[in-house]
């Protein structure tokens, strides 16, 4: 069973940095795309960044480019999100996501989610 555990959130001043971690377990993720999403109070969940486990191709929301970096550690089955130059509007619960092939006869894809870690940026 896929299990995702986020850590590294906390309180930081505007302009500061944090590194979030997502420990993934339950299977081999070579066929998966790992990602980070965030959800602020009263807002919809939005895409932050993603990385394909095989090959390491990365993708970013336009507002994150140049400030956030997603990476992975194969040996630890862990995905990271390095966040620099943090702003008040970055305050949200950050969720780790794993998207991969569904184990069903009709195919398709399935998404797994962690429980989230709170990031609060003070101004």
């Amino acid at each position: 069973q896929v299990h995702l555990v986020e850590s590294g959130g906390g309180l930081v001043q505007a302009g500061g940095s944090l590194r979030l971690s997502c420990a993934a377990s339950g299977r081999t993720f070579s066929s998966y795309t790992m990602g980070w999403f965030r959800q602020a109070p009263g807002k919809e969940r939005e895409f932050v960044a993603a990385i394909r486990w095989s090959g390491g191709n990365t993708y970013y929301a336009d507002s994150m480019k140049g400030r956030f970096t997603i990476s992975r550690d194969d040996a630890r089955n862990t995905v990271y999100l390095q966040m620099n130059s943090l702003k008040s509007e970055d305050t949200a619960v950050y969720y780790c996501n794993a998207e991969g092939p569904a184990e069903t006869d009709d195919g398709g894809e399935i998404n797994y989610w962690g429980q989230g870690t709170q990031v609060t940026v003070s101004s």
Side-chain angles (χ1 to χ4, degrees):
Q1 184 167 328
V2 172
H3 187 56
L4 307 175
V5 180
E6 303 97 332
S7 62
L11 177 64
V12 65
Q13 288 184 258
S17 299
L18 283 175
R19 189 175 76 161
L20 306 183
S21 298
C22 173
S25 61
R27 66 177 68 250
T28 300
F29 292 90
S30 59
S31 299
Y32 279 68
T33 298
M34 311 296 295
W36 289 94
F37 291 73
R38 69 185 186 186
Q39 188 167 24
K43 303 293 184 180
E44 293 186 344
R45 189 170 298 186
E46 67 172 332
F47 170 75
V48 175
I51 183 168
R52 295 187 65 85
W53 198 273
S54 180
N57 298 327
T58 58
Y59 311 88
Y60 298 94
D62 287 341
S63 61
M64 318 300 171
K65 292 180 180 178
R67 297 194 300 125
F68 292 6
T69 303
I70 189 170
S71 61
R72 75 197 192 286
D73 186 324
D74 291 338
R76 298 181 179 181
N77 258 22
T78 300
V79 178
Y80 303 96
L81 183 68
Q82 179 67 47
M83 305 186 295
N84 299 324
S85 301
L86 284 164
K87 307 173 182 179
S88 295
E89 52 263 43
D90 294 320
T91 295
V93 177
Y94 284 71
Y95 296 92
C96 183
N97 166 258
E99 182 182 84
E103 298 177 349
T104 58
D105 291 338
D106 56 345
E109 295 183 341
I110 190 169
N111 280 276
Y112 301 92
W113 297 91
Q115 66 184 76
T117 184
Q118 176 71 48
V119 172
T120 303
V121 183
S122 62
S123 59

